[in-house]
C-alpha cells in the first residue's frame, strides 16, 4: 500500500461528531482504569485507538459497546446522550457494532441466517420464515458492498477473514453507524488483510465510522484519519492525519518513563554453556528460519506483536506443534521436541492462557502440582501419597501460594495464585529449561512482582528461560537478551546494549531507522 | 468449599445408614441376611459394569454400549464353550479380549476422529445389538453346561453369592487405579482440562483409548457373569442397563462433565437405588410406582451434586 492511499479525501469530509465521550472514569473495585478520558469519533472517519497493554483501550471499547458501564462522564452518540446504564442491546439499537476478536457468528447456519438472526423476514399470513426473501435480501446487501461472499454459504465453510466480513454485513444490516474492530487482522493472511482494508475504505465512503484497535503500527498508519493514544488510563494525545507516523505513535504510547529502571534496562550477556541450539527451524505459516543459542542461566526474551509467531515458536520447541524444517540440539545432543521427552529431560512450559491451558480447576493444588511430577510420585505406576504431599507443600512454600492448603481447589484461587500453582508444578522439578508465555496477564501487581522474583531466582540458579511477553516493561526488565519476531521471522536481536520498550516496539512494528541511543 | 474431595462417599454412606434404619423400622423383613444379600446381589452387575464405565465418564465421555456389549459377550462365551467346544477358562478370557477390542475401537474413534462419545457409543450400542441378534439368530438360548462356568454366577462362598466377591474385587481394583496410580491421575486430568493435561505431559488420546478399552473389558466380564447367573443368553439380555450404570455414577458423585468420580460412590449409589426399590417392595407398593420414586431420587442426587459443582466453578469464573 502506498502513501497516497492513506486517508483519501479525508479533508473533504464534514467534521460532524458521531461519538463524543467526555471525562470518562472507570475503576474496577479500586484501581482506576480510565481517568477522565475524552474521546471522539467523527462521522465517516477511520479512527484508531492505540496504547500499550493495560492502557485502557479495551475498557473504553467495552464502555462504548455497553459491555461494561462507566462510573462517570458523558457520552453522546449520534446526537443522543447515552445513559450510565447502557447494555450491549442498547448499543446495538443505537447503531454501535463491534466486530469481535472471537467471532460471534453461529456455526451451522448460513451467512443469510446469521445476518438476519432474530429479525428474519416472515411470510404474510402464516408467520414462518421466508427463506427465499431472506436469502435475496442478504445477497442484495452483499452485492451492494461487493463482498466476496454468498448468502447461502454455511459459516463453517468460510475462512476467518470471510467470517469477519459476514459479521460486518450483519452490522451493516443493523444500520450501524459506528463499527468497532478490535485487532481484526491478528489471524488474517496478507491478502485477507488487504481485502479487509478495502472494505474499511468502502465503509468510510458510505459515511460509516470505523474505530480501529490494533497493535500493528503500519496498519494504524495506513488506515487512520485520526489516532487517539492512551497511556496508563489517560488520554495522551489525538493525532491528526499529518502527524500520524508509527514512530510518533510509539513515542507517545511509551511516554518519557526512561529514567524508570523497568523500561530502561542494561542487557548484560550471559556466556555460559549453550543449553539449546536452534538452527533454521520453520513451521509453515507460523514462523520461518529461526536460529538462536540459549545459554545456561540466560533469560531470553521474545518480543513481537500478537500473531508474530512467538507463541507458535515456543509451542513447537516444547513439542506441542510439529517443526517442518531445521534442527534443534538440547544439551549438546540432537533433539526432536516432544512434550513427554521434554518433561523427562528437565524442560517445562508455562502456557499463555492459564485457565484454558494451565490449571485443572476442579482439582486440588496437590493434584495440580502432581500432574507434571508423576515420574517422581509414581515411579512404578502407584502414587505415593507421602511424596505427593511433600511436593505439594514444597511447591506451595516456594511459590508462596495462598491459601497454603494443598487440598484447596485451584479453580477457587485468585488469578495470581493460580499462576503460582502453574509455576509451582514446574519449580519442584529439576529444571534445565523453562518456556514461559505471557506469565502475568490478568494478575495483580503483588503477585506479578513475586512471579518476576521467581523467574530471576530460577535463572540465577542456572535454569535457562525463554520468556514470551507483550508486556514491554516485563520483557525489558527480566531479559538478558531479546529477540524480536515480526511476521514469523527474527527481525532484531537486542544484546549487550541499553534496552527500552520503545526499541522493542519499533522493531516489532518494522521501523528500521535507528533511534539515537541515549546510553 | 474445601476438603470436599471424598465427601460424596461419606454423604452417601450417611444416607444409606438412614435409609437402612428407616426401612428396618418399616419392615421386619428388611434387616435379614437374606434380604440384604439379595439387594447387594442385585447390584452386582451394575457394580461390575461401573468399575470400567467410570473411566470414559471421567475423561468427559460416556460409554452407552455397555448393555449391548454385555449381551453380545454372553452369547459369544456360550458359542465358544457349547458350540466350538472351548474349555471355559480360555473361552472367558477370549470373550473379555473381544470386549476389550470393541472398547478399543470405540475409544479410537472417540479419540482420533474427535466424534462425541455419546454418538459413537450409541451407534455401537445399536450395531452390537444387531450383531448379537445375528449371532444368536434372534433366539434365547439356555446355558446348561459346563458346571464350573455356571458356578461363577450361581455358586456361593461363605454363604455369599460369588458375583459379590467378583464385584468387590473389581470395584476395589478400579478405585485403587483411579486414586492411587499415575494412570488414574491422567484420566482425571484429561477430564478436568484436556489442554492443561496435554501440556503437562499427558497424552489425552491414549488415555481415552485405554479408558474405553477398560470399559469394554468390564462389560464383557459383566456379560459373562450375567450369562452364568441367569443361565441364558439373548440379544436383549442387558438392555437398558447402561442407564442404571449412569444413574449409579451420577448418584455416586461422578461429574457429568468429567474430571472427577469414584467407583465406590457409584457402588453406594447403586445400592441406594436397590434399597429404595427393595423397601417399596417390602411395603407392598405396586411396581408401577417404583420408577417415579427412583427418578425423583436421581434428580435430587443430581441437584445436590450440581450445587457442589456450582460452588467449584462459580467463583473460579471471575
Amino acid at each position: 500500500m502506498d502513501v497516497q492511499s492513506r486517508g483519501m479525501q479525508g479533508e473533504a469530509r464534514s467534521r460532524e461528531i458521531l461519538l463524543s465521550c467526555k471525562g470518562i472514569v472507570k475503576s474496577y473495585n479500586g484501581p482506576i482504569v480510565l481517568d477522565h478520558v475524552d474521546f471522539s469519533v467523527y462521522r465517516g472517519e477511520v479512527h484508531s485507538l492505540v496504547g500499550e497493554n493495560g492502557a485502557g483501550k479495551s475498557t473504553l471499547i467495552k464502555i462504548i459497546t455497553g459491555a461494561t458501564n462507566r462510573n462517570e462522564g458523558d457520552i453522546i452518540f449520534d446526537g443522543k446522550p447515552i445513559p450510565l446504564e447502557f447494555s450491549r442491546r442498547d448499543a446495538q439499537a443505537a447503531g454501535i457494532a463491534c466486530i469481535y476478536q472471537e467471532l460471534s457468528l453461529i456455526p451451522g447456519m448460513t451467512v443469510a441466517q446469521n445476518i438476519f438472526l432474530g429479525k428474519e423476514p416472515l411470510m404474510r399470513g402464516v408467520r414462518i420464515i421466508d427463506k427465499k426473501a431472506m436469502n435475496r435480501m442478504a445477497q442484495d446487501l452483499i452485492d451492494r458492498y461487493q463482498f466476496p461472499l454468498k448468502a447461502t454459504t454455511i459459516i463453517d465453510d468460510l475462512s476467518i477473514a470471510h467470517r469477519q466480513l459476514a459479521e460486518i454485513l450483519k452490522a451493516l444490516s443493523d444500520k450501524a453507524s459506528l463499527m468497532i474492530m478490535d485487532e481484526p487482522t491478528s489471524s488474517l493472511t496478507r491478502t485477507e488483510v488487504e481485502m479487509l482494508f478495502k472494505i474499511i475504505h468502502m465503509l468510510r465512503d458510505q459515511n460509516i465510522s470505523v474505530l480501529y484497535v490494533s497493535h500493528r503500527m503500519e496498519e494504524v498508519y495506513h488506515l487512520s484519519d485520526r489516532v487517539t493514544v492512551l497511556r496508563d488510563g489517560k488520554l495522551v494525545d489525538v493525532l491528526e492525519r499529518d502527524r500520524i507516523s508509527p514512530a510518533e505513535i510509539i513515542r507517545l504510547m511509551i511516554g518519557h518513563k526512561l529514567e524508570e529502571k523497568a523500561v530502561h534496562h542494561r542487557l548484560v550477556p550471559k556466556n555460559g554453556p549453550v543449553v539449546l541450539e536452534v538452527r533454521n527451524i520453520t513451521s509453515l505459516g507460523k514462523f520461518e528460519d529461526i536460529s538462536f543459542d540459549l545459554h545456561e542461566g540466560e533469560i531470553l526474551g521474545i518480543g513481537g506483536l500478537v500473531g508474530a509467531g512467538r507463541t507458535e515458536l515456543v509451542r513447537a520447541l516444547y513439542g506441542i506443534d510439529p517443526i517442518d524444517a531445521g534442527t534443534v540440539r538440547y544439551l549438546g545432543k540432537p533433539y526432536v521436541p516432544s512434550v513427554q521427552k521434554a518433561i523427562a529431560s528437565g524442560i517445562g512450559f508455562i502456557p499463555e492462557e492459564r485457565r484454558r491451558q494451565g490449571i485443572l480447576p476442579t482439582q486440588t493444588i496437590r493434584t495440580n502440582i502432581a500432574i507434571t511430577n508423576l515420574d517422581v510420585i509414581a515411579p512404578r505406576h502407584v502414587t505415593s501419597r507421602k511424596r505427593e504431599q511433600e511436593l505439594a507443600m514444597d511447591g506451595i512454600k516456594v511459590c508462596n501460594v495462598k491459601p497454603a492448603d494443598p487440598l484447596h481447589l485451584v479453580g477457587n484461587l485468585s488469578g495470581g495464585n493460580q499462576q503460582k500453582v502453574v509455576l509451582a508444578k514446574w519449580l519442584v522439578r529439576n529444571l534445565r529449561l523453562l518456556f514461559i508465555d505471557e506469565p502475568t496477564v490478568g494478575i495483580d501487581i503483588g503477585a506479578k512482582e513475586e512471579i518476576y522474583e521467581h523467574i530471576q531466582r530460577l535463572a540465577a540458579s542456572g535454569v535457562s528461560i525463554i520468556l514470551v511477553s507483550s508486556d514491554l516493561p516485563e520483557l525489558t526488565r527480566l531479559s538478558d537478551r531479546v529477540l524480536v519476531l515480526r511476521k514469523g521471522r527474527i527481525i532484531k536481536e537486542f544484546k549487550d546494549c541499553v534496552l527500552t520498550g520503545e526499541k522493542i516496539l519499533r522493531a516489532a512494528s518494522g521501523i528500521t531507522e535507528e533511534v539515537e541511543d541515549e546510553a | 468449599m474445601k476438603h470436599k474431595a471424598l465427601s460424596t462417599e461419606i454423604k452417601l454412606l450417611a444416607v444409606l445408614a438412614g435409609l437402612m434404619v428407616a426401612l428396618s423400622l418399616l419392615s421386619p423383613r428388611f434387616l435379614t441376611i437374606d434380604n440384604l444379600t439379595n439387594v447387594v446381589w442385585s447390584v452386582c452387575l451394575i457394580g461390575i459394569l461401573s468399575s470400567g464405565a467410570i473411566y470414559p465418564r471421567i475423561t468427559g465421555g460416556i460409554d452407552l454400549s455397555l448393555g449391548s456389549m454385555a449381551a453380545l459377550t454372553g452369547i459369544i462365551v456360550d458359542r465358544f464353550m457349547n458350540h466350538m467346544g472351548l474349555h471355559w477358562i480360555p473361552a472367558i478370557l477370549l470373550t473379555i479380549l473381544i470386549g476389550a477390542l470393541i472398547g478399543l475401537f470405540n475409544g479410537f474413534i472417540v479419540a482420533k476422529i474427535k466424534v462425541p462419545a455419546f454418538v459413537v457409543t450409541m451407534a455401537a450400542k445399536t450395531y452390537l445389538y444387531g450383531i448379537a441378534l445375528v449371532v444368536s439368530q434372534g433366539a434365547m438360548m439356555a446355558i446348561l453346561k459346563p458346571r464350573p462356568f455356571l458356578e461363577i454366577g450361581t455358586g456361593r462362598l461363605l454363604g455369599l453369592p460369588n458375583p459379590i466377591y467378583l464385584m468387590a474385587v473389581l470395584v476395589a481394583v478400579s478405585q485403587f487405579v483411579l486414586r492411587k496410580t499415575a494412570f488414574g491421575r491422567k484420566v482425571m486430568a484429561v477430564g478436568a482440562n484436556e489442554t492443561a493435561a496435554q501440556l503437562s505431559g499427558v497424552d489425552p488420546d491414549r488415555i481415552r483409548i485405554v479408558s474405553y478399552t477398560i470399559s469394554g473389558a468390564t462389560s464383557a466380564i459383566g456379560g459373562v457373569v450375567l450369562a452364568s447367573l441367569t443361565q441364558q443368553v439373548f440379544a436383549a439380555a442387558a438392555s437398558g442397563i447402561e442407564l442404571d450404570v449412569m444413574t449409579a455414577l451420577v448418584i455416586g458423585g461422578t461429574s457429568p462433565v468429567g474430571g472427577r468420580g469414584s467407583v465406590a460412590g457409584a457402588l453406594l449409589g447403586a445400592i441406594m437405588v436397590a434399597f429404595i426399590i427393595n423397601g417399596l417392595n417390602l411395603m407392598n407398593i405396586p411396581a408401577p410406582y417404583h420408577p417415579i420414586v427412583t427418578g425423583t431420587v436421581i434428580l435430587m442426587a443430581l441437584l445436590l451434586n450440581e450445587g457442589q459443582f456450582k460452588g467449584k466453578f462459580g467463583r473460579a469464573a471471575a
Side-chain angles (χ1 to χ4, degrees), chain A residues 318 320 339-340 343 355-357 359 362-363 371 381-383 388 405 407 409 411-412 425, chain B residues 2-3 180-182 185-186 188-189 192-193 195-196 198-201 203 259 312-313 315-316:
Chain A
Y318 182 55
I320 308 162
V339 176
Q340 275 85 2
I343 293 175
R355 278 206 72 76
R356 210 173 63 74
Q357 307 181 333
I359 59 166
T362 52
Q363 301 200 354
I371 192 69
H381 300 296
V382 177
T383 55
E388 185 178 2
D405 170 10
L407 296 182
L409 293 173
N412 289 349
K425 71 184 191 184
Chain B
K2 46 184 187 175
H3 301 285
K180 286 281 178 185
T181 67
R185 291 310 174 81
K186 291 176 184 176
M188 301 257 192
N193 185 344
T195 312
Q198 193 182 8
L199 296 180
S200 301
D203 179 347
K312 291 192 161 86
F313 289 117
R315 196 149 62 91

Short mmCIF file of all heavy atoms in Angstrom, two decimals, chain A residues 318 320 339-340 343 355-357 359 362-363 371 381-383 388 405 407 409 411-412 425, chain B residues 2-3 180-182 185-186 188-189 192-193 195-196 198-201 203 259 312-313 315-316:
data_model
loop_
_atom_site.label_atom_id
_atom_site.label_comp_id
_atom_site.label_asym_id
_atom_site.label_seq_id
_atom_site.Cartn_x
_atom_site.Cartn_y
_atom_site.Cartn_z
N TYR A 318 8.68 -26.78 22.55
CA TYR A 318 8.27 -27.64 23.66
C TYR A 318 7.75 -28.99 23.14
O TYR A 318 7.70 -29.97 23.88
CB TYR A 318 7.20 -26.92 24.48
CG TYR A 318 6.72 -27.67 25.71
CD1 TYR A 318 7.61 -28.11 26.69
CD2 TYR A 318 5.36 -27.92 25.89
CE1 TYR A 318 7.16 -28.79 27.80
CE2 TYR A 318 4.90 -28.58 27.02
CZ TYR A 318 5.80 -29.02 27.97
OH TYR A 318 5.35 -29.68 29.08
N ILE A 320 4.70 -29.35 21.24
CA ILE A 320 3.25 -29.47 21.07
C ILE A 320 2.91 -29.48 19.59
O ILE A 320 2.11 -30.30 19.13
CB ILE A 320 2.52 -28.30 21.75
CG1 ILE A 320 2.97 -28.16 23.20
CG2 ILE A 320 1.01 -28.49 21.68
CD1 ILE A 320 2.65 -26.83 23.80
N VAL A 339 6.50 -33.41 24.01
CA VAL A 339 6.18 -32.98 25.37
C VAL A 339 6.70 -33.98 26.40
O VAL A 339 7.34 -33.60 27.38
CB VAL A 339 4.66 -32.78 25.52
CG1 VAL A 339 4.33 -32.42 26.96
CG2 VAL A 339 4.17 -31.69 24.59
N GLN A 340 6.45 -35.26 26.16
CA GLN A 340 6.88 -36.26 27.13
C GLN A 340 8.39 -36.25 27.33
O GLN A 340 8.89 -36.27 28.45
CB GLN A 340 6.43 -37.66 26.69
CG GLN A 340 5.01 -38.02 27.10
CD GLN A 340 3.95 -37.51 26.14
OE1 GLN A 340 4.28 -36.91 25.11
NE2 GLN A 340 2.70 -37.73 26.45
N ILE A 343 9.54 -33.08 29.30
CA ILE A 343 9.35 -33.13 30.75
C ILE A 343 10.36 -34.07 31.39
O ILE A 343 10.96 -33.76 32.41
CB ILE A 343 7.90 -33.56 31.07
CG1 ILE A 343 6.93 -32.47 30.60
CG2 ILE A 343 7.72 -33.80 32.57
CD1 ILE A 343 5.48 -32.82 30.75
N ARG A 355 -6.15 -20.28 32.50
CA ARG A 355 -7.40 -21.01 32.78
C ARG A 355 -7.64 -22.12 31.77
O ARG A 355 -8.09 -23.19 32.10
CB ARG A 355 -8.61 -20.06 32.77
CG ARG A 355 -8.79 -19.31 34.04
CD ARG A 355 -10.25 -18.92 34.23
NE ARG A 355 -11.08 -20.08 34.55
CZ ARG A 355 -11.12 -20.66 35.73
NH1 ARG A 355 -10.38 -20.23 36.71
NH2 ARG A 355 -11.88 -21.70 35.93
N ARG A 356 -7.34 -21.82 30.50
CA ARG A 356 -7.66 -22.79 29.47
C ARG A 356 -6.57 -23.85 29.34
O ARG A 356 -6.84 -24.98 29.00
CB ARG A 356 -7.85 -22.07 28.13
CG ARG A 356 -8.82 -22.75 27.18
CD ARG A 356 -9.07 -21.90 25.97
NE ARG A 356 -7.87 -21.70 25.17
CZ ARG A 356 -7.32 -22.64 24.40
NH1 ARG A 356 -7.86 -23.82 24.32
NH2 ARG A 356 -6.23 -22.36 23.72
N GLN A 357 -5.31 -23.45 29.61
CA GLN A 357 -4.21 -24.37 29.31
C GLN A 357 -3.38 -24.76 30.52
O GLN A 357 -2.59 -25.68 30.45
CB GLN A 357 -3.27 -23.73 28.28
CG GLN A 357 -3.98 -23.23 27.05
CD GLN A 357 -3.02 -22.64 26.05
OE1 GLN A 357 -1.96 -22.15 26.43
NE2 GLN A 357 -3.37 -22.67 24.79
N ILE A 359 -4.33 -24.89 34.26
CA ILE A 359 -4.78 -25.49 35.51
C ILE A 359 -5.85 -26.55 35.31
O ILE A 359 -6.54 -26.58 34.29
CB ILE A 359 -5.35 -24.41 36.47
CG1 ILE A 359 -6.53 -23.68 35.83
CG2 ILE A 359 -4.26 -23.45 36.89
CD1 ILE A 359 -7.34 -22.88 36.80
N THR A 362 -11.02 -28.09 38.67
CA THR A 362 -11.85 -28.84 39.62
C THR A 362 -11.00 -29.69 40.56
O THR A 362 -11.54 -30.46 41.34
CB THR A 362 -12.83 -29.77 38.88
OG1 THR A 362 -12.07 -30.55 37.97
CG2 THR A 362 -13.88 -29.00 38.16
N GLN A 363 -9.70 -29.57 40.45
CA GLN A 363 -8.86 -30.41 41.30
C GLN A 363 -8.04 -29.58 42.28
O GLN A 363 -7.97 -28.37 42.19
CB GLN A 363 -7.98 -31.29 40.41
CG GLN A 363 -8.89 -32.14 39.51
CD GLN A 363 -8.22 -33.35 38.93
OE1 GLN A 363 -7.04 -33.56 39.08
NE2 GLN A 363 -9.01 -34.17 38.26
N ILE A 371 0.56 -33.47 38.70
CA ILE A 371 0.37 -33.97 37.34
C ILE A 371 1.64 -33.90 36.49
O ILE A 371 1.86 -34.74 35.62
CB ILE A 371 -0.83 -33.26 36.64
CG1 ILE A 371 -1.22 -33.97 35.35
CG2 ILE A 371 -0.56 -31.81 36.38
CD1 ILE A 371 -1.82 -35.32 35.55
N HIS A 381 4.14 -46.60 38.66
CA HIS A 381 2.69 -46.51 38.42
C HIS A 381 1.86 -46.17 39.66
O HIS A 381 0.89 -45.45 39.56
CB HIS A 381 2.13 -47.79 37.78
CG HIS A 381 2.78 -48.10 36.47
ND1 HIS A 381 2.64 -47.26 35.38
CD2 HIS A 381 3.57 -49.11 36.07
CE1 HIS A 381 3.33 -47.75 34.37
NE2 HIS A 381 3.91 -48.87 34.76
N VAL A 382 2.24 -46.71 40.83
CA VAL A 382 1.41 -46.45 42.01
C VAL A 382 1.91 -45.17 42.68
O VAL A 382 3.10 -45.00 42.91
CB VAL A 382 1.47 -47.62 43.00
CG1 VAL A 382 0.66 -47.30 44.26
CG2 VAL A 382 0.96 -48.88 42.33
N THR A 383 0.96 -44.27 42.99
CA THR A 383 1.36 -42.99 43.55
C THR A 383 1.68 -43.12 45.03
O THR A 383 1.07 -43.90 45.75
CB THR A 383 0.23 -41.95 43.41
OG1 THR A 383 -0.95 -42.49 44.01
CG2 THR A 383 -0.05 -41.63 41.97
N GLU A 388 3.71 -37.14 47.28
CA GLU A 388 2.82 -36.17 46.65
C GLU A 388 2.60 -34.99 47.58
O GLU A 388 2.66 -33.83 47.18
CB GLU A 388 1.50 -36.85 46.30
CG GLU A 388 0.56 -35.94 45.54
CD GLU A 388 -0.73 -36.64 45.15
OE1 GLU A 388 -0.90 -37.82 45.51
OE2 GLU A 388 -1.56 -35.98 44.52
N ASP A 405 -2.94 -24.42 51.46
CA ASP A 405 -3.67 -25.64 51.78
C ASP A 405 -3.67 -26.54 50.54
O ASP A 405 -4.30 -26.22 49.54
CB ASP A 405 -5.11 -25.27 52.16
CG ASP A 405 -6.01 -26.48 52.28
OD1 ASP A 405 -5.49 -27.62 52.26
OD2 ASP A 405 -7.23 -26.29 52.39
N LEU A 407 -5.17 -29.07 49.76
CA LEU A 407 -6.45 -29.64 49.32
C LEU A 407 -7.42 -28.59 48.80
O LEU A 407 -8.56 -28.89 48.48
CB LEU A 407 -7.09 -30.42 50.49
CG LEU A 407 -6.30 -31.63 50.95
CD1 LEU A 407 -7.03 -32.37 52.05
CD2 LEU A 407 -6.01 -32.56 49.78
N LEU A 409 -9.20 -26.25 46.15
CA LEU A 409 -9.42 -26.41 44.71
C LEU A 409 -8.81 -25.22 43.96
O LEU A 409 -9.04 -24.07 44.32
CB LEU A 409 -10.91 -26.50 44.42
CG LEU A 409 -11.60 -27.74 44.96
CD1 LEU A 409 -13.10 -27.65 44.76
CD2 LEU A 409 -11.04 -28.98 44.29
N GLY A 411 -9.47 -24.02 41.05
CA GLY A 411 -10.44 -23.15 40.42
C GLY A 411 -10.93 -22.04 41.33
O GLY A 411 -11.43 -21.01 40.87
N ASN A 412 -10.80 -22.23 42.64
CA ASN A 412 -11.28 -21.21 43.59
C ASN A 412 -10.20 -20.21 43.99
O ASN A 412 -10.45 -19.33 44.80
CB ASN A 412 -11.80 -21.89 44.86
CG ASN A 412 -13.10 -22.63 44.60
OD1 ASN A 412 -13.71 -22.46 43.54
ND2 ASN A 412 -13.53 -23.45 45.53
N LYS A 425 4.24 -26.28 39.91
CA LYS A 425 4.33 -27.66 39.44
C LYS A 425 5.58 -27.89 38.61
O LYS A 425 5.99 -29.03 38.44
CB LYS A 425 3.05 -28.07 38.69
CG LYS A 425 2.84 -27.46 37.35
CD LYS A 425 1.48 -27.91 36.79
CE LYS A 425 1.33 -27.53 35.34
NZ LYS A 425 0.03 -27.86 34.81
N LYS B 2 -13.84 -26.18 50.93
CA LYS B 2 -12.67 -27.03 50.73
C LYS B 2 -12.86 -28.39 51.39
O LYS B 2 -13.87 -28.65 52.02
CB LYS B 2 -11.41 -26.33 51.25
CG LYS B 2 -11.58 -25.71 52.61
CD LYS B 2 -10.29 -24.97 52.94
CE LYS B 2 -10.28 -24.45 54.34
NZ LYS B 2 -9.04 -23.86 54.70
N HIS B 3 -11.87 -29.25 51.21
CA HIS B 3 -11.90 -30.60 51.76
C HIS B 3 -13.16 -31.34 51.32
O HIS B 3 -13.79 -32.03 52.09
CB HIS B 3 -11.81 -30.59 53.28
CG HIS B 3 -10.56 -29.92 53.74
ND1 HIS B 3 -9.33 -30.51 53.66
CD2 HIS B 3 -10.35 -28.70 54.26
CE1 HIS B 3 -8.42 -29.68 54.13
NE2 HIS B 3 -9.00 -28.58 54.49
N LYS B 180 -4.92 -44.13 43.05
CA LYS B 180 -3.55 -44.37 43.51
C LYS B 180 -2.53 -44.59 42.41
O LYS B 180 -1.39 -44.90 42.70
CB LYS B 180 -3.55 -45.60 44.44
CG LYS B 180 -4.15 -45.33 45.80
CD LYS B 180 -3.14 -44.62 46.65
CE LYS B 180 -3.68 -44.26 48.00
NZ LYS B 180 -2.68 -43.46 48.73
N THR B 181 -2.94 -44.51 41.15
CA THR B 181 -1.93 -44.76 40.12
C THR B 181 -1.78 -43.54 39.21
O THR B 181 -2.67 -42.69 39.14
CB THR B 181 -2.30 -45.95 39.22
OG1 THR B 181 -3.46 -45.60 38.46
CG2 THR B 181 -2.56 -47.21 40.03
N ALA B 182 -0.66 -43.50 38.54
CA ALA B 182 -0.40 -42.42 37.60
C ALA B 182 -1.47 -42.40 36.51
O ALA B 182 -1.94 -41.33 36.11
CB ALA B 182 0.99 -42.59 36.99
N ARG B 185 -4.57 -40.67 37.68
CA ARG B 185 -4.37 -39.22 37.69
C ARG B 185 -4.53 -38.62 36.31
O ARG B 185 -5.09 -37.55 36.12
CB ARG B 185 -2.96 -38.89 38.19
CG ARG B 185 -2.74 -39.18 39.63
CD ARG B 185 -3.88 -38.56 40.41
NE ARG B 185 -3.78 -38.94 41.79
CZ ARG B 185 -2.96 -38.32 42.65
NH1 ARG B 185 -2.23 -37.33 42.24
NH2 ARG B 185 -2.92 -38.71 43.89
N LYS B 186 -4.00 -39.37 35.34
CA LYS B 186 -4.06 -38.85 33.97
C LYS B 186 -5.50 -38.83 33.47
O LYS B 186 -5.93 -37.91 32.79
CB LYS B 186 -3.17 -39.69 33.06
CG LYS B 186 -1.69 -39.50 33.36
CD LYS B 186 -0.83 -40.40 32.51
CE LYS B 186 0.64 -40.26 32.89
NZ LYS B 186 1.48 -41.20 32.14
N MET B 188 -8.20 -38.43 35.27
CA MET B 188 -8.85 -37.28 35.92
C MET B 188 -8.40 -35.98 35.25
O MET B 188 -9.20 -35.07 35.02
CB MET B 188 -8.47 -37.22 37.40
CG MET B 188 -8.87 -38.46 38.17
SD MET B 188 -10.33 -38.17 39.17
CE MET B 188 -10.32 -39.64 40.17
N ALA B 189 -7.11 -35.89 34.96
CA ALA B 189 -6.57 -34.65 34.38
C ALA B 189 -7.17 -34.39 33.00
O ALA B 189 -7.53 -33.26 32.68
CB ALA B 189 -5.05 -34.73 34.29
N ALA B 192 -10.56 -33.05 33.53
CA ALA B 192 -10.62 -31.74 34.17
C ALA B 192 -10.22 -30.64 33.21
O ALA B 192 -10.81 -29.55 33.20
CB ALA B 192 -9.71 -31.71 35.40
N ASN B 193 -9.21 -30.87 32.38
CA ASN B 193 -8.77 -29.87 31.41
C ASN B 193 -7.81 -30.53 30.46
O ASN B 193 -6.62 -30.67 30.74
CB ASN B 193 -8.09 -28.69 32.13
CG ASN B 193 -7.71 -27.57 31.17
OD1 ASN B 193 -7.69 -27.76 29.96
ND2 ASN B 193 -7.41 -26.42 31.71
N THR B 195 -6.40 -29.69 27.63
CA THR B 195 -5.24 -28.94 27.14
C THR B 195 -4.15 -28.87 28.21
O THR B 195 -2.98 -29.11 27.93
CB THR B 195 -5.66 -27.52 26.74
OG1 THR B 195 -6.81 -27.61 25.93
CG2 THR B 195 -4.57 -26.83 25.98
N ALA B 196 -4.57 -28.53 29.43
CA ALA B 196 -3.59 -28.43 30.52
C ALA B 196 -2.93 -29.78 30.74
O ALA B 196 -1.72 -29.87 30.97
CB ALA B 196 -4.27 -27.95 31.80
N GLN B 198 -2.46 -32.12 28.54
CA GLN B 198 -1.55 -32.38 27.43
C GLN B 198 -0.24 -31.62 27.62
O GLN B 198 0.84 -32.16 27.42
CB GLN B 198 -2.23 -31.96 26.12
CG GLN B 198 -1.51 -32.47 24.91
CD GLN B 198 -2.17 -32.01 23.63
OE1 GLN B 198 -3.09 -31.19 23.65
NE2 GLN B 198 -1.71 -32.53 22.52
N LEU B 199 -0.34 -30.35 28.03
CA LEU B 199 0.86 -29.55 28.24
C LEU B 199 1.66 -30.04 29.43
O LEU B 199 2.81 -29.68 29.60
CB LEU B 199 0.50 -28.07 28.42
CG LEU B 199 -0.15 -27.40 27.21
CD1 LEU B 199 -0.45 -25.96 27.50
CD2 LEU B 199 0.77 -27.51 26.00
N SER B 200 1.02 -30.85 30.29
CA SER B 200 1.73 -31.40 31.44
C SER B 200 2.26 -32.80 31.14
O SER B 200 2.64 -33.52 32.05
CB SER B 200 0.81 -31.45 32.66
OG SER B 200 0.34 -30.15 32.95
N GLY B 201 2.24 -33.19 29.87
CA GLY B 201 2.86 -34.44 29.50
C GLY B 201 1.93 -35.63 29.40
O GLY B 201 2.37 -36.75 29.23
N ASP B 203 -0.88 -37.82 27.39
CA ASP B 203 -1.35 -37.99 26.02
C ASP B 203 -2.85 -38.29 26.06
O ASP B 203 -3.26 -39.42 26.31
CB ASP B 203 -0.58 -39.16 25.38
CG ASP B 203 -1.01 -39.43 23.94
OD1 ASP B 203 -2.05 -38.89 23.52
OD2 ASP B 203 -0.31 -40.18 23.25
N GLY B 259 -13.67 -35.20 34.97
CA GLY B 259 -12.69 -34.62 35.86
C GLY B 259 -12.68 -35.21 37.26
O GLY B 259 -11.69 -35.11 37.97
N LYS B 312 -17.86 -25.06 42.96
CA LYS B 312 -16.49 -25.19 42.49
C LYS B 312 -16.19 -24.24 41.36
O LYS B 312 -15.10 -23.72 41.24
CB LYS B 312 -16.25 -26.62 42.03
CG LYS B 312 -16.25 -27.55 43.20
CD LYS B 312 -15.73 -28.90 42.84
CE LYS B 312 -15.33 -29.64 44.07
NZ LYS B 312 -16.35 -30.34 44.72
N PHE B 313 -17.18 -24.03 40.50
CA PHE B 313 -16.90 -23.23 39.33
C PHE B 313 -17.26 -21.76 39.52
O PHE B 313 -16.68 -20.89 38.92
CB PHE B 313 -17.65 -23.77 38.11
CG PHE B 313 -17.09 -25.07 37.63
CD1 PHE B 313 -17.84 -26.23 37.65
CD2 PHE B 313 -15.78 -25.13 37.20
CE1 PHE B 313 -17.30 -27.42 37.21
CE2 PHE B 313 -15.23 -26.32 36.78
CZ PHE B 313 -15.99 -27.47 36.78
N ARG B 315 -17.03 -19.19 41.70
CA ARG B 315 -16.08 -18.11 41.97
C ARG B 315 -14.91 -18.16 40.99
O ARG B 315 -14.34 -17.14 40.63
CB ARG B 315 -15.57 -18.25 43.40
CG ARG B 315 -14.89 -17.04 43.93
CD ARG B 315 -15.10 -16.91 45.43
NE ARG B 315 -14.54 -18.04 46.15
CZ ARG B 315 -13.29 -18.05 46.63
NH1 ARG B 315 -12.51 -17.01 46.46
NH2 ARG B 315 -12.84 -19.07 47.28
N ALA B 316 -14.63 -19.37 40.56
CA ALA B 316 -13.45 -19.55 39.71
C ALA B 316 -13.58 -18.78 38.41
O ALA B 316 -12.59 -18.39 37.81
CB ALA B 316 -13.24 -21.03 39.42
#
